[in-house]
Amino acid sequence: MNSTVLYILVTISAVLAMEFVAWFAHKYIMHGLLWNWHEDHHQPHHKDGFFEKNDLFFLVFAIPSATCYIVGLNSAHFWLLFVGIGISIYGMIYFLIHDVYIHRRFKWFKQLDNKYSRAILRAHGSHHAVQTKYGCESFGLLIVNPKYFGKRVKK
Ligand SMILES: [Zn+2]
Ligand SMILES: [Zn+2]
C-alpha cells in the first residue's frame, strides 16, 4: 500500500473513531465528572450570549489533536499527523452539524432536509428532551439509532 492511501485511511479511521470517542465522552464525562461544563447546553439559555460553558469541550478536544500534529511532524510517527487531521475534521463536522444545523448558532443550511438530517435532528432533540445529568439518551451525533428514521418516534 502506498503511503498516500495509508494516510487517507488513517484520516478516515480517525474521523470515524471520533464519533465513538465523542459518544463516550458525552455519555461518561460530560454527563459525568464534567457535567458542570455541559449543564448549560441542556438549559434554554440563548438569551445569555453566544458562548456556552459547554464550548470549553472544543478546547479540550483540541489538545489531543494538537498533540498529534506536533508529535507527527517532529518524530518518526508521521502518520500521527493524519490522526490529528482526522480529529480536526470531526471537530468541524461536529460544529457544523451540532452547533450550526441543530442548534442554529448561525443561519446556514436551513434548507438542508432529508431522511438522515431529520433523523439526526430527532435523535439530538430527544437527547435535549431531558435537562438533567441522568436519564438522557442518544449521546452520539452521526450514528443515529434506526428508530429515529421512522415517521414517528417510539420511546
Ligand atoms: Zn448532553
Ligand atoms: Zn445539543
Side-chain angles (χ1 to χ4, degrees):
M1 187 164 19
N2 79 39
S3 53
T4 306
V5 174
L6 179 72
Y7 294 145
I8 290 171
L9 287 177
V10 170
T11 306
I12 294 169
S13 308
V15 173
L16 296 176
M18 278 304 291
E19 170 71 6
F20 173 77
V21 172
W23 167 83
F24 183 91
H26 188 188
K27 186 166 174 138
Y28 295 105
I29 299 171
M30 296 159 84
H31 282 257
L33 199 66
L34 292 177
W35 169 247
N36 183 27
W37 290 8
H38 185 54
E39 188 174 12
D40 71 344
H41 186 62
H42 278 268
Q43 306 297 325
H45 50 77
H46 297 285
K47 53 198 177 306
D48 309 335
F50 185 75
F51 288 104
E52 302 170 355
K53 243 193 198 174
N54 187 54
D55 295 329
L56 287 169
F57 288 106
F58 280 107
L59 300 178
V60 172
F61 281 108
I63 295 168
S65 176
T67 306
C68 288
Y69 284 110
I70 293 165
V71 176
L73 288 169
N74 294 289
S75 74
H77 302 287
F78 186 57
W79 59 274
L80 273 174
L81 174 65
F82 298 90
V83 174
I85 291 172
I87 297 172
S88 299
I89 291 174
Y90 186 82
M92 277 188 280
I93 294 172
Y94 199 95
F95 178 76
L96 292 175
I97 306 248
H98 176 260
D99 294 85
V100 179
Y101 177 63
I102 298 176
H103 290 296
R104 316 239 148 180
R105 293 175 81 172
F106 294 96
K107 297 181 188 338
W108 310 332
F109 327 123
K110 272 182 157 169
Q111 68 295 346
L112 183 66
D113 186 31
N114 57 58
K115 273 192 174 165
Y116 180 49
S117 74
R118 265 176 267 154
I120 287 180
L121 279 178
R122 286 198 192 107
H124 198 69
S126 84
H127 179 72
H128 278 283
V130 178
Q131 296 186 351
T132 49
K133 182 173 177 179
Y134 300 105
C136 285
E137 58 175 34
S138 17
F139 291 91
L141 183 70
L142 302 177
I143 297 174
V144 176
N145 185 310
K147 73 179 178 181
Y148 295 114
F149 281 86
K151 278 239 157 34
R152 276 156 176 254
V153 178
K154 270 197 269 168
K155 284 234 168 166

